[in-house]
Amino acid sequence: MILIMTLVYGLFLLLDFIPIYRGKNRKITWLYLSLFILSYSMTVLIGFGVNLPSPAPLIKSIITSLGIF
Amino acid sequence: MYKGFSEENNWTESLQQNEALLRELFKNDDTIIYRHFENQFNSDLKFAAIFSSGIVNNEIINENIILPIVANNIRLTDKVKLIDVLKNQIIISNDITKTRELDNIIQAILNGNTVLLHDGASEALIINSKDWPTRVISEPENEKGSLGPREGFTESLLINLAMVKRKLKTHELKFKFRVLGSRSQTKICICYIEGLANEAILAELETRLDKIHLDGILDANYIVEFIKDAPLSLFKTVGNTERPDVVAGKLLEGRIALILDGTPVAITLPYLFVEYFQTNDDYYNSFFIASITRIIRLFSFILTISAPAVFLALTAFHQEIIPEPLLLSISLSRQRVPFPTIIEALILGLVFESMREAGVRASSNIGTSLSIVGALILGQAAVDAHFFSAPMLIIVGFTVVAGLMFPKLSGASMILRLILLFFAALMGIYGYIFALSGLFIHLFQIRSFGVPYMSPLNSLNFQDLKDTIIRAPWWYMEYRPKFIGALNRIRQSNGDRKLEKKLR
Amino acid sequence: MPKEFITERQGLNMMVLFIIGSTLVVGVTDAAKQDSWLSVILAIIMALPMLMLYARIVHLFPGQDIFMVIHRVFGRIVGKVLSLFFVWYAFHLGVLVIRNFSEFLSEISLTETPQYLIQLVVVILGVWMVKGSIEVLGRWTSFVFNIVLVIIIGICLMAFTETNFANFTPMLYGGFRPVIDGAYSIFSFPLAETIIFTAVLSFLKPGANSYKVYNRGLWIGGGILLAITLGNIGVLGYPFLSTQYYPSYITVSLIDLGTFFRRFEILVAVVFLLCGLVKVSICLFCTANGLAKIFNTHDYRVLLAPVALLNVSLALFIYPSMQAMFEWVNVYRYYAIPFQILLPLLIWICAEAKLRLSKTGAIEKD
Amino acid sequence: MRKNYAKFLFLPLIMIFLISGCWNYREIEGLAIVAGIAVDRGIHHKYLATMEIIGFKPGQESEIESKLVSGEGDSILEAIRNSYNISGQMGYFNHTRALIISQDVAKMGILPITDLLFRSPLIRVSLAILISKEKTAGEVLAARSLNQPIKSFQICEAFAVQQKALSKTAEIKVFEAVNAMGGEGTDLFLPTVGVISNQGQPTMELSGMAVFQQDKLVGLLDGEESKYVLFIRNKVQEGILLENMDREANATLISFKILKNQTWIKPVLAKGKPGVKIAVKTTVDIWELDSPLNYDSEQDRKMLKSQAEKELQANILRIVRKVQQNYGTDIFGFGSQFRSQMPELWKEIKPEWRDYFTQLKVAVKAEVEIQKSGMAIKSLKVED
């Protein structure tokens, strides 16, 4: 999984990011990279079997605590 | 071009020197003939006719150039130069120019004109004596029709233009000439009907043509690859045809045609996806038959790109969809077949494609025996030997046959078939749908000269569909296609044959 | 970049496919059992004023999407925070749809194919589509719409032959409460999810009517939902229906046309694929567009790819299992209240007030 | 540039394909297509599952043949999986048409089996469930079939024949079984299949039905009795109706061909007690008459009609009584009729429905409409 994901991310970097990088808009470049690295690191962590905290139970507990559910 | 030679001072009044200059330029080109002759009444008047043998009309040179000059008693006055006398009084030709530009002279010789020099003049006369060897007008092999005009373009630009002109006798039909290719000096002609063709598209075409810097243009495709949109796409965004009637039809729809010298193919643009499925025969046949065949063509296209993929998806992923009798018979025929279905499909596809290619390249006598060997013997033997399964053979064979319906799409459909096959092998029918979605996304993305490529198909409303999936009767097609002929939408009055009236 | 436009028809088609997208297979709630078709009707009526409100927001500021509206109404700082809320909602919705998508496919057929692969393919197609501009999405949608419509009408007609009308009786056996309960579920998923379209319909051609799009989209999409629900109940009946996660798929699998033409359930999967793709694309578009507006960049397209990849990453671990996913549908109806009802209401009130107060900046009304 | 590079996104997809291969890809000829499953009590374990697999005889002209594989296990899934060990092939259940359950197993309860069936995405919910009349279910699959090499498919064809010509039993699909078990006010019945001797060889035969209380088998009905159950369930489409005409002490047997049948069940409340009115309307043709009588006069025809009606009413009533007294399970779905037509009453009587059912007053009104008498004007007469 990590292999395939890395490949896909790499290709995105190659095909999608390079033109943006060349566009010399630093804000976009940083925004792009930060989102990109965030998602990649999540993927890698999942690939290594780390249990990431999902937002779904959190939202559920918030709603339950509000007492509607 | 030839800058080194076109220095003004090289061209003199001396015939000998001028000829020497030309001989230097055309060194080692023995097709250039230097014919010297004199006037029979005044042997001081020495002339030389220079032309390239083989592409000139000997009769014109003999009868209209040499004969009058030799036979006439040329009287010279001081007021008039000899060269003007020749031009205006002696030489019988409809196209004659006076020049002192070396460039023009060289071009003239190469184009088959005759250059007349005479001693004591610093100018030369260029007399039209072109007579290129041309093919007779015949029906194009690749775009045959069962009805309608039988003529096809030849390699001669002027003959081609003549054929188009004959069909559209209007002063609004415009021909703009251009020369492209630094070495080939190919003449191209932009044809359009003023008032119908979109000016913006015309301007866009001109700017794209301006950007071409090629040294030789031997075929229309040399230009097509420069001017087409989405250059990496499998699909053509610029059309081509070998038939003058098709060109005339497209011009009437407001499209622009590009006719090149030296190739029997005209380019039409903008080109839309539906044009793959329109043939000239559609318009000459009854509209019922034309509509049915057009629908069949559309289905065949879908089948030809997707049959192997769907078959693979069904047999290797979704066996639950196949009804039991069919499932059992497919399963039965695949017993003892060594290859996986996907490999089978790929190999068979390759075999059939190579057979098709061989059929195109081989001479026509071999073609029939090729089909017998290929289709009958190989196919039968392969199934008997449990090398391939019969259903796969049927599917691939059908695919190739259906693909023959679209000679213009054959390359694209082969690649599409392969891509769809890959995705079907990855995720079954879902992979196939994904790939097909991708294909349509691509088709919806590209444009041809600003016109969306899938134009009438993306909004399936009836007005625009009259000439796409079906071919409506002529009297019902009152408007030109909206996306192209927006300038002058009304094609015709309905000839007093409204559909409503007909239906009554 | 030249301004992109979608036509009214394309907007309508998008909305219909968006509404029937995931609900087609997941099925509407079964709180009301054999009366859930009543829930659908009720939900449509409930959603009508809400959707008109969304249409009003679009209409008040023609050519400006919800993020621009928020920005204009609430100013920079508050606007950005509120925009972030919407971006999160669109993003989260995209995650849910992607997860639904891959769960469905991996359940019915691609059992061994890893889900992330399916998600990746979907997302890549979505990115590709939206990258070609919202126009491509519109054209593609209206092309697909016809196919989807034909399939759904065909399926409904065929299902009609297998329908057992006894399955509908008795009406209102469990009372009216479950019906309302179910109606609210359908309201929040999928009808009021069309709040997303406040960011899409700003691309409508000038002169197009956003009310019309919302109104017709609701009726057509809701009508299709109703037809599907009726078919499911009529063919399968309770209690079997309540045991199934993907009732439409099972319903269609029971349809036979003769002995050879059977097993049309693949068509359901195909329709779901197409609708899901539209839904994912719209969510992607909204997320990227909103992010671009928050960070003051003009081209949303550059952000599509990272947003899509982030979608996939989150979709991978948002639910531990399929049961959790379906359980979450119950949470979702409460979770969605602020995004579907409260925020739009707030925006609408403030926007009206702002427009009334500052006549100078007012947009001429028709 | 930006406009066109997007299509390169196809590349990663192709690459994914290249490095990952295909997960769900399975060749069609490698499938062990399971046509039918028979579930029995095992010797060492709880269940013994016998599967009929479609096999192919090798040879130049390959042929289809039926193969049986069985395995034991404490759950059905385990039993099925254990059989893979013997055949060396994974079973493919998407084309499974029939599931035959032995009576022993059915007495223990079929809930685990149906659960497996509707849970699995691989098994179709249109699969037919049957109960074996023989000692074991495996026997049925081991019997010969005449037309189809695959016995389970033969069973399905027999169901079609039943529907068209006999109406002695009816196909119950998984989802119908689940609805009958889990629905309010109805109980489950399943068709039964047995082995009879045909030309000296054991052959499978479809007839009769098994009656269930909740998910447990409580008894069997023969073919004739089940026909009248189907009459009440409004599931008779075509078939034959044999009537014994007791006319002037001449026992006469008439075969009617049922053309059309419609049954209405109306729950009523008579004197505070729930009851049921059954109205049957049947259209028939006379097809076989074993007496010289002709029934061509108006009076004769009327008499024939009333006789037939009486006979039908008596038969229907008899089966209702039998089920009420012997089994006490509502295979007729009377309860569901109360539920849909008198929901308020149903809410009251639902908890004690079984008691109510056994004492339910049932009134039957049958109407037989004789349409034609075939092509013959009169019956054959044998002259002395």
Side-chain angles (χ1 to χ4, degrees):
Chain A
M1 175 183 170
I2 293 177
L3 185 70
I4 293 174
M5 279 299 197
T6 310
L7 189 81
V8 171
Y9 274 81
L11 276 167
F12 263 106
L13 215 55
L14 205 71
L15 298 169
D16 199 73
F17 180 62
I18 286 182
I20 290 166
Y21 179 73
R22 289 224 184 98
K24 294 237 164 37
N25 187 335
R26 284 186 77 182
K27 192 161 64 181
I28 290 179
T29 311
W30 283 117
L31 193 58
Y32 191 105
L33 268 187
S34 54
L35 287 175
F36 197 83
I37 289 166
L38 178 67
S39 65
Y40 184 64
S41 50
M42 286 204 297
T43 318
V44 169
L45 285 179
I46 296 164
F48 281 122
V50 179
N51 267 335
L52 292 178
S54 157
L58 184 77
I59 295 167
K60 192 175 168 180
S61 64
I62 291 173
I63 287 168
T64 327
S65 67
L66 285 176
I68 324 167
F69 185 41
Chain B
M1 283 175 279
Y2 313 116
K3 271 285 176 264
F5 301 109
S6 65
E7 294 294 319
E8 199 74 20
N9 48 12
N10 284 345
W11 199 248
T12 62
E13 296 195 346
S14 155
L15 175 64
Q16 266 179 335
Q17 276 187 25
N18 289 343
E19 191 189 321
L21 177 63
L22 284 176
R23 279 186 189 269
E24 176 64 25
L25 280 176
F26 289 111
K27 201 162 61 184
N28 291 340
D29 183 352
D30 295 340
T31 60
I32 309 289
I33 310 274
Y34 304 86
R35 166 76 164 86
H36 294 264
F37 54 94
E38 297 164 2
N39 183 261
Q40 63 178 345
F41 299 99
N42 184 353
S43 57
D44 287 344
L45 299 178
K46 293 187 193 308
F47 302 92
I50 304 165
F51 53 89
S52 180
S53 69
I55 55 174
V56 291
N57 189 335
N58 289 332
E59 217 167 286
I60 293 178
I61 297 176
N62 291 344
E63 309 259 319
N64 300 352
I65 302 174
I66 300 182
L67 180 69
I69 295 175
V70 172
N72 276 326
N73 189 0
I74 300 170
R75 291 190 203 85
L76 285 173
T77 56
D78 287 341
K79 284 178 190 163
V80 198
K81 279 202 278 183
L82 174 60
I83 196 127
D84 292 324
V85 174
L86 286 175
K87 186 182 166 201
N88 297 336
Q89 294 173 4
I90 310 280
I91 295 169
I92 305 162
S93 171
N94 59 351
D95 179 7
I96 180 163
T97 45
K98 198 167 66 170
T99 184
R100 48 183 303 154
E101 303 279 325
L102 188 55
D103 253 3
N104 292 352
I105 291 169
I106 292 166
Q107 278 308 317
I109 294 172
L110 292 174
N111 276 325
N113 293 336
T114 302
V115 173
L116 186 73
L117 306 176
H118 85 92
D119 205 14
S122 60
E123 285 169 313
L125 283 181
I126 297 172
I127 304 139
N128 183 1
S129 62
K130 279 190 212 109
D131 190 10
W132 300 83
T134 54
R135 197 158 52 96
V136 289
I137 296 176
S138 60
E139 186 169 18
E141 280 289 308
N142 295 328
E143 278 179 79
K144 279 197 171 142
S146 54
L147 291 167
R150 296 248 178 272
E151 56 187 2
F153 283 134
T154 68
E155 282 75 6
S156 158
L157 176 62
L158 287 173
I159 294 178
N160 293 350
L161 293 183
M163 283 191 274
V164 176
K165 263 182 194 164
R166 197 174 74 188
K167 293 192 192 302
L168 303 168
K169 298 182 192 72
T170 163
H171 68 278
E172 287 165 341
L173 178 61
K174 304 291 177 194
F175 298 96
K176 267 195 200 166
F177 278 108
R178 238 167 205 277
V179 175
L180 272 184
S182 56
R183 291 222 158 70
S184 66
Q185 292 290 312
T186 313
K187 255 192 192 164
I188 63 174
C189 173
I190 305 170
C191 312
Y192 60 96
I193 296 179
E194 202 169 34
L196 294 187
N198 190 331
E199 296 290 331
I201 295 177
L202 205 59
E204 175 67 28
L205 174 67
E206 302 248 6
T207 54
R208 286 189 197 179
L209 285 176
D210 283 341
K211 287 180 190 152
I212 299 178
H213 298 294
L214 253 186
D215 67 339
I217 290 168
L218 305 183
D219 183 75
N221 195 42
Y222 284 57
I223 297 190
V224 166
E225 292 194 355
F226 274 101
I227 62 174
K228 78 181 252 193
D229 300 65
L232 295 176
S233 173
L234 289 171
F235 295 93
K236 296 200 296 186
T237 47
V238 167
N240 56 20
T241 178
E242 289 185 55
R243 301 184 67 110
D245 49 326
V246 173
V247 168
K250 304 266 184 219
L251 288 177
L252 282 174
E253 282 178 357
R255 290 188 167 85
I256 299 167
L258 214 61
I259 302 176
L260 274 77
D261 195 21
T263 105
V265 176
I267 301 170
T268 60
L269 53 97
Y271 187 78
L272 305 179
F273 187 66
V274 286
E275 287 180 59
Y276 278 125
F277 305 102
Q278 301 169 334
T279 67
N280 44 331
D281 248 16
D282 287 353
Y283 301 98
Y284 309 142
N285 249 324
S286 141
F287 63 90
F288 284 121
I289 296 163
S291 301
I292 289 170
T293 49
R294 198 173 272 181
I295 290 169
I296 289 174
R297 249 174 266 144
L298 208 63
F299 271 105
S300 300
F301 172 66
I302 296 170
L303 277 178
T304 190
I305 60 170
S306 49
V310 171
F311 181 77
L312 175 77
L314 291 189
T315 55
F317 285 84
H318 309 285
Q319 292 93 350
E320 69 268 16
I321 296 171
I322 312 173
E324 282 97 8
L326 195 59
L327 177 78
L328 293 184
S329 82
I330 293 173
S331 186
L332 207 58
S333 68
R334 273 200 55 81
Q335 297 293 318
R336 292 172 53 202
V337 171
F339 304 111
T341 318
I342 167 86
I343 303 291
E344 218 186 338
L346 289 178
I347 294 177
L348 274 178
L350 191 73
V351 167
F352 271 98
E353 286 297 335
S354 59
M355 221 130 62
R356 193 182 61 87
E357 184 65 15
V360 174
R361 302 278 158 245
S363 75
S364 55
N365 326 344
I366 305 173
T368 42
S369 48
L370 186 86
S371 62
I372 291 172
V373 172
L376 295 178
I377 301 178
L378 276 183
Q380 187 60 40
V383 172
D384 280 348
H386 288 278
F387 222 64
F388 296 113
S389 69
M392 195 41 136
L393 216 59
I394 295 169
I395 294 283
V396 176
F398 171 74
T399 306
V400 172
V401 170
L404 292 181
M405 244 181 251
F406 319 97
K408 289 180 185 170
L409 259 174
S410 61
S413 60
M414 188 170 73
I415 295 171
L416 286 177
R417 202 180 299 149
L418 216 60
I419 292 174
L420 292 181
L421 198 64
F422 271 125
F423 275 85
L426 183 66
M427 284 185 195
I429 202 89
Y430 308 111
Y432 164 75
I433 295 288
F434 282 138
L436 212 57
S437 304
L439 169 67
F440 277 102
I441 292 172
H442 172 66
L443 283 175
F444 281 119
Q445 256 173 15
I446 54 181
R447 285 163 180 271
S448 171
F449 287 87
V451 181
Y453 193 50
M454 293 290 275
S455 258
L457 288 179
N458 52 29
S459 67
L460 291 173
N461 74 44
F462 190 69
Q463 268 300 320
D464 290 342
L465 284 185
K466 276 180 192 169
D467 194 20
T468 51
I469 291 178
I470 57 163
R471 204 277 279 172
W474 270 114
W475 40 261
Y476 196 50
M477 291 198 273
E478 290 161 39
Y479 300 102
R480 279 169 228 290
K482 185 165 61 186
F483 31 92
I484 301 167
L487 288 176
N488 186 357
R489 281 213 66 199
I490 296 177
R491 195 202 280 265
Q492 59 200 4
S493 79
N494 51 44
D496 208 18
R497 279 174 164 243
K498 276 220 179 302
L499 186 64
E500 294 73 32
K501 220 184 234 172
K502 288 264 99 182
L503 292 176
R504 208 173 289 151
Chain C
M1 198 190 319
K3 183 100 171 98
E4 309 152 3
F5 288 123
I6 54 172
T7 62
E8 210 173 270
R9 189 198 181 90
Q10 287 168 349
L12 172 67
N13 293 349
M14 273 156 126
M15 185 166 299
V16 173
L17 293 197
F18 184 89
I19 286 176
I20 61 178
S22 4
T23 325
L24 177 66
V25 282
V26 177
V28 296
T29 169
D30 60 16
K33 299 220 164 150
Q34 68 266 44
D35 296 328
S36 41
W37 59 280
L38 281 174
S39 303
V40 177
I41 296 175
L42 199 64
I44 295 173
I45 296 165
M46 273 162 70
L48 192 60
M50 210 62 221
L51 261 61
M52 286 302 103
L53 194 148
Y54 302 159
R56 176 78 185 160
I57 296 174
V58 178
H59 180 79
L60 280 178
F61 299 90
Q64 301 200 10
D65 58 29
I66 186 84
F67 305 107
M68 287 152 118
V69 172
I70 292 175
H71 197 260
R72 223 173 113 174
V73 172
F74 296 99
R76 254 188 79 199
I77 311 287
V78 184
K80 275 191 180 165
V81 174
L82 287 183
S83 291
L84 207 59
F85 264 105
F86 266 118
V87 168
W88 165 254
Y89 180 65
F91 176 72
H92 192 187
L93 194 60
V95 170
L96 298 185
V97 175
I98 292 169
R99 182 63 188 255
N100 267 344
F101 212 97
S102 60
E103 281 290 351
F104 175 66
L105 286 195
S106 77
E107 180 59 32
I108 59 165
S109 177
L110 304 173
T111 41
E112 288 148 48
T113 311
Q115 281 196 20
Y116 66 86
L117 198 70
I118 302 170
Q119 294 168 351
L120 266 181
V121 175
V122 174
V123 146
I124 287 174
L125 282 178
V127 170
W128 191 11
M129 179 129 69
V130 184
K131 250 198 159 124
S133 87
I134 193 89
E135 271 181 33
V136 172
L137 180 59
R139 288 204 288 262
W140 193 86
T141 311
S142 49
F143 179 74
V144 160
F145 180 76
N146 297 289
I147 300 170
V148 168
L149 208 64
V150 167
I151 292 178
I152 286 181
I153 290 174
I155 284 174
C156 286
L157 287 181
M158 288 190 284
F160 188 73
T161 59
E162 306 270 324
T163 298
N164 179 5
F165 290 98
N167 286 338
F168 292 105
T169 55
M171 255 168 80
L172 292 178
Y173 178 70
F176 213 71
R177 246 197 87 87
V179 175
I180 297 174
D181 200 38
Y184 179 63
S185 285
I186 299 164
F187 169 78
S188 66
F189 169 74
L191 295 182
E193 278 174 3
T194 47
I195 178 70
I196 295 273
F197 274 80
T198 47
V200 176
L201 292 186
S202 57
F203 287 90
L204 274 183
K205 256 189 186 142
N209 189 339
S210 58
Y211 292 109
K212 225 161 140 187
V213 175
Y214 263 109
N215 198 1
R216 288 195 187 164
L218 174 66
W219 287 107
I220 298 175
I224 292 174
L225 281 191
L226 181 63
I228 292 164
T229 313
L230 282 174
N232 287 347
I233 300 170
V235 174
L236 293 179
Y238 275 84
F240 183 76
L241 191 55
S242 57
T243 64
Q244 295 296 319
Y245 280 133
Y246 306 111
S248 310
Y249 189 73
I250 304 289
T251 304
V252 177
S253 77
L254 286 172
I255 296 173
D256 287 353
L257 272 189
T259 49
F260 196 83
F261 291 101
R262 47 172 75 180
R263 311 196 164 164
F264 295 101
E265 64 264 40
I266 200 95
L267 288 180
V268 174
V270 167
V271 168
F272 178 54
L273 238 62
L274 298 175
C275 298
L277 200 53
V278 171
K279 206 164 173 178
V280 168
S281 303
I282 291 173
C283 290
L284 274 180
F285 167 77
C286 278
T287 318
N289 198 3
L291 268 186
K293 295 276 154 58
I294 290 173
F295 288 95
N296 285 338
T297 61
H298 295 289
D299 195 355
Y300 62 88
R301 285 169 226 225
V302 295
L303 291 175
L304 278 171
V307 163
L309 290 172
L310 203 61
N311 253 332
V312 172
S313 310
L314 204 63
L316 280 175
F317 69 89
I318 189 153
Y319 305 122
S321 67
M322 191 167 75
Q323 287 101 310
M325 181 175 99
F326 280 94
E327 203 180 273
W328 217 76
V329 171
N330 289 327
V331 182
Y332 178 81
R333 41 197 274 184
Y334 301 107
Y335 162 67
I337 290 175
F339 305 107
Q340 292 177 346
I341 302 174
L342 299 183
L343 266 180
L345 219 63
L346 184 69
I347 294 167
W348 173 61
I349 293 167
C350 295
E352 291 277 3
K354 182 138 188 158
L355 282 183
R356 294 274 151 79
L357 289 178
S358 63
K359 286 282 184 228
T360 46
I363 315 296
E364 45 289 290
K365 310 213 171 66
D366 42 16
Chain D
M1 174 70 190
R2 167 141 35 73
K3 223 174 154 191
N4 289 318
Y5 82 101
K7 70 174 67 70
F8 279 112
L9 293 178
F10 252 123
L11 270 178
L13 300 177
I14 290 170
M15 285 223 175
I16 288 168
F17 172 76
L18 291 179
I19 55 172
S20 60
C22 349
W23 284 273
N24 280 86
Y25 188 95
R26 47 187 181 204
E27 287 296 344
I28 195 165
E29 75 272 14
L31 295 178
I33 302 165
V34 179
I37 311 172
V39 181
D40 281 309
R41 282 291 285 276
I43 302 161
H44 307 291
H45 296 278
K46 199 171 168 194
Y47 294 112
L48 168 76
T50 309
M51 294 190 290
E52 184 185 25
I53 293 172
I54 301 176
F56 299 94
K57 266 189 211 142
Q60 192 64 32
E61 294 290 312
S62 310
E63 269 179 40
I64 295 166
E65 63 177 358
S66 149
K67 288 191 275 192
L68 292 182
V69 183
S70 44
E72 283 196 18
D74 284 328
S75 76
I76 293 157
L77 190 65
E78 197 200 350
I80 288 174
R81 288 279 154 110
N82 279 339
S83 77
Y84 295 168
N85 213 0
I86 300 165
S87 64
Q89 269 181 316
M90 295 278 282
Y92 179 70
F93 290 92
N94 235 311
H95 286 273
T96 311
R97 287 283 198 80
L99 173 79
I100 304 170
I101 302 170
S102 79
Q103 293 180 35
D104 303 347
V105 175
K107 276 174 189 152
M108 294 192 302
I110 61 165
L111 200 63
I113 304 175
T114 43
D115 189 79
L116 174 73
L117 293 182
F118 80 73
R119 195 177 289 281
S120 164
L122 294 177
I123 297 178
R124 311 185 69 83
V125 292
S126 56
L127 170 92
I129 312 181
L130 303 101
I131 301 293
S132 162
K133 277 200 280 200
E134 306 304 316
K135 229 173 155 181
T136 63
E139 267 173 71
V140 178
L141 281 185
R144 252 169 53 92
S145 63
L146 275 183
N147 270 332
Q148 275 270 6
I150 310 299
K151 292 150 200 168
S152 310
F153 291 176
Q154 167 101 33
I155 291 177
C156 293
E157 285 175 10
F159 271 126
V161 172
Q162 280 284 347
Q163 204 181 40
K164 282 233 167 79
L166 277 165
S167 288
K168 281 191 174 179
T169 188
E171 187 177 0
I172 300 291
K173 295 173 175 171
V174 173
F175 76 99
E176 291 166 328
V178 172
N179 277 344
M181 283 193 293
E184 291 177 12
T186 98
D187 274 305
L188 177 66
F189 67 86
L190 288 177
T192 54
V193 60
V195 176
I196 58 161
S197 170
N198 175 40
Q199 309 289 319
Q201 281 182 311
T203 314
M204 56 178 61
E205 183 228 25
L206 206 61
S207 148
M209 53 177 62
V211 180
F212 282 74
Q213 192 165 58
Q214 282 161 341
D215 70 322
K216 292 185 179 58
L217 179 77
V218 288
L220 296 183
L221 298 177
D222 66 19
E224 201 54 32
E225 289 168 328
S226 359
K227 189 196 292 173
Y228 297 105
V229 175
L230 294 181
F231 258 110
I232 301 172
R233 293 300 304 249
N234 196 13
K235 281 199 169 177
V236 172
Q237 287 176 354
E238 283 168 53
I240 51 165
L241 196 59
L242 283 180
E243 304 275 358
N244 267 313
M245 295 293 137
D246 193 16
R247 193 187 135 136
E248 293 160 12
N250 274 344
T252 308
L253 197 66
I254 303 181
S255 302
F256 293 110
K257 179 182 186 282
I258 302 169
L259 297 174
K260 210 167 67 182
N261 179 67
Q262 182 71 41
T263 308
W264 295 269
I265 299 174
K266 194 170 168 35
V268 288
L269 199 63
K271 292 174 201 160
K273 281 200 165 178
V276 165
K277 275 187 184 164
I278 303 171
V280 181
K281 189 175 178 216
T282 314
T283 315
V284 296
D285 277 359
I286 300 171
W287 270 38
E288 193 184 320
L289 212 62
D290 74 342
S291 85
L293 293 170
N294 265 328
Y295 303 106
D296 48 6
S297 73
E298 171 93 37
Q299 198 193 354
D300 281 354
R301 282 208 301 277
K302 263 190 185 158
M303 204 155 109
L304 180 64
K305 182 173 147 78
S306 71
Q307 280 288 344
E309 282 169 357
K310 233 183 255 171
E311 178 85 8
L312 184 58
Q313 279 173 12
N315 284 335
I316 290 175
L317 214 52
R318 194 179 313 135
I319 186 67
V320 173
R321 287 280 142 69
K322 180 174 176 184
V323 173
Q324 273 180 327
Q325 284 157 16
N326 294 7
Y327 311 124
T329 73
D330 183 6
I331 56 173
F332 310 110
F334 289 150
S336 66
Q337 295 293 335
F338 274 103
R339 182 171 179 268
S340 65
Q341 294 180 35
M342 304 173 120
E344 293 310 313
L345 178 68
W346 173 248
K347 277 178 192 164
E348 277 174 38
I349 61 177
K350 187 175 135 193
E352 290 96 38
W353 173 242
R354 273 196 206 293
D355 300 336
Y356 277 109
F357 175 72
T358 46
Q359 286 147 32
L360 204 65
K361 287 259 184 299
V362 178
V364 184
K365 188 176 176 312
E367 193 189 339
V368 177
E369 197 173 303
I370 301 166
Q371 248 182 11
K372 286 184 282 188
S373 58
M375 277 161 61
I377 300 170
K378 51 171 88 169
S379 312
L380 289 178
K381 252 188 199 154
V382 185
E383 299 285 347
D384 291 325

